[in-house]
Amino acid sequence: MRRERATPRPDWAQKVESHGLAFHRTAHPEHLPRPYWDESVQYVFDMDEVLALEETVEELHRMCLQVVEHVVTTGRYHVLGIPEWVAPLIEESWRRRDPHLYGRFDLRYDGTGPAKLLEYNADTPTALVESSIAQWYWLQEVYPGDDQWNSIHERLVDRWKQIAGGLPGPAHFAWTNGDETGEEVMTIAYMQETAQEAGLQGTAIAMEDIGWDSRRERFVDLDENEITTLCKLYPWEWIVAEPFSRSIPHAPTTWIEPIWKMVLSNKALLVLLWELFPGHPNLLPTFLNTPANLTSYVQKPLLGREGASMRIVLPDGAEQRTEGDYGREGFVFQEFCPLPDFDGQHPVLGAWVVHDESAGLGIRETAGLVTDDTSSFIPHRIAL
């Protein structure tokens, strides 16, 4: 793994926008001199390196599924701060094997030692359009003789084909009106496109426009059509906190992602992974609501997003904090493992999983210690 400089295409902005990355301007703070999509640099990998990372990702995913089984079997939902009334829904969903679609592991990797899991975005992962589409077209135009760790699109279509046969009809694809950047709208639109390519027809809807028909005991759209399948870019922890969530047990709606993914979209997952697989080379020691014996650590809220509400205690005792309102459910304390330094920038590898298989890579980097909404997306290639 190495970082190389390159000359951006003169019309790069128009091209990435034409490929669906229309939010690259709005989702990035305007005052930053560096764009969100930055093809003035790139990360280059060897094929053997990527194959090894793929194996690591799939092993981590299998371990995460074992954590779900552990939680369902032991009833340790309290570790994750999951409400008691939700626990039976998770158990039923898991036992039914409700179909899951995708997720993104965030990894610390420097090209030499083993990759370390930072967190798993298993419910509403973003950076999908840029990982799947924008960087693939960049590769085809700029480095047509090279390869890329990227089968995300094909795997999504194939997975939708597997899922579609068990669905009762068309699907609805939902985002929230609270999204001011357009990122969620474009991401869920891309998800709908992959489903349609697989033969599953869909309708777009805002979460705020979903209604409840008390007579039929069904969720409905604005035309009173029943929502039989809902693919949402809206986190489960928000859903179960809203009044209409109490109707979920009464409706036969298929949810994508399924509610059992609440176990994986919670940073207490990192605590349970370390408990079940202590000393695993791809894990960092992580504890719930206490640093235990850690002297240098990152304090993360169980349900935080975009690097908000974090506290970092460095080896020299210095501290850094990020702003945010998360943390009411509690925190995890993960051993501090500094991101690698490439020319003063610190990359995080976003390794994608579709169903149960490794599917691709997206890289974000920042000059700071925390990968937040000021980070830039950097394309990658595999040198052949």
Side-chain angles (χ1 to χ4, degrees), residues 99-102 122-123 230-232 236 255-259 261:
H100 60 290
L101 188 64
Y102 70 143
D123 183 19
L230 184 65
C231 177
K232 85 283 182 301
W236 270 109
W255 297 79
I256 299 174
E257 295 293 306
I259 196 169
K261 279 242 175 155

Side-chain angles (χ1 to χ4, degrees), residues 140-247:
Q140 298 306 301
E141 181 174 348
V142 183
Y143 296 98
D146 282 349
D147 202 351
Q148 191 173 82
W149 182 6
N150 189 358
S151 58
I152 302 170
H153 184 87
E154 295 82 0
R155 290 183 184 274
L156 284 172
V157 173
D158 288 344
R159 181 56 178 156
W160 277 120
K161 289 178 180 178
Q162 296 169 1
I163 293 174
L167 301 179
H172 286 73
F173 292 81
W175 73 98
T176 172
N177 285 328
D179 170 35
E180 298 178 352
T181 67
E183 180 179 12
E184 293 186 15
V185 172
M186 292 305 298
T187 302
I188 202 68
Y190 173 62
M191 295 298 294
Q192 183 175 345
E193 179 182 319
T194 59
Q196 289 177 335
E197 190 172 329
L200 178 64
Q201 297 306 307
T203 301
I205 189 172
M207 288 293 294
E208 293 80 359
D209 290 334
I210 295 175
W212 174 252
D213 187 324
S214 57
R215 181 181 60 83
R216 291 187 289 167
E217 293 195 325
R218 297 289 188 271
F219 290 111
V220 294
D221 61 20
L222 291 174
D223 295 321
E224 298 296 324
N225 296 314
E226 178 184 352
I227 298 176
T228 57
T229 299
L230 184 65
C231 177
K232 85 283 182 301
L233 201 67
Y234 194 78
W236 270 109
E237 65 263 24
W238 294 1
I239 292 175
V240 301
E242 296 179 3
F244 83 85
S245 64
R246 296 289 180 154
S247 300

Side-chain angles (χ1 to χ4, degrees), residues 12 22-38 130 180-183 306 364-366 372-378:
W12 67 265
F23 53 85
H24 73 95
R25 304 175 194 271
T26 56
H28 203 53
E30 294 181 356
H31 67 277
L32 296 177
R34 187 183 187 190
Y36 173 64
W37 171 273
D38 188 357
E130 46 270 57
E180 298 178 352
T181 67
E183 180 179 12
E306 292 289 349
R364 292 177 300 155
E365 68 173 20
T366 179
D372 54 19
D373 62 358
T374 67
S375 63
S376 293
F377 187 95
I378 312 301

Side-chain angles (χ1 to χ4, degrees), residues 339-358:
L339 295 174
D341 188 313
F342 287 82
D343 302 323
Q345 295 292 322
H346 309 295
V348 167
L349 272 60
W352 290 89
V353 171
V354 175
H355 190 205
D356 297 325
E357 296 183 336
S358 172

Side-chain angles (χ1 to χ4, degrees), residues 82-101:
I82 291 174
E84 288 186 12
W85 73 271
V86 178
L89 302 182
I90 292 175
E91 181 175 351
E92 293 164 7
S93 175
W94 175 249
R95 296 302 184 207
R96 286 195 305 262
R97 292 296 186 263
D98 287 350
H100 60 290
L101 188 64

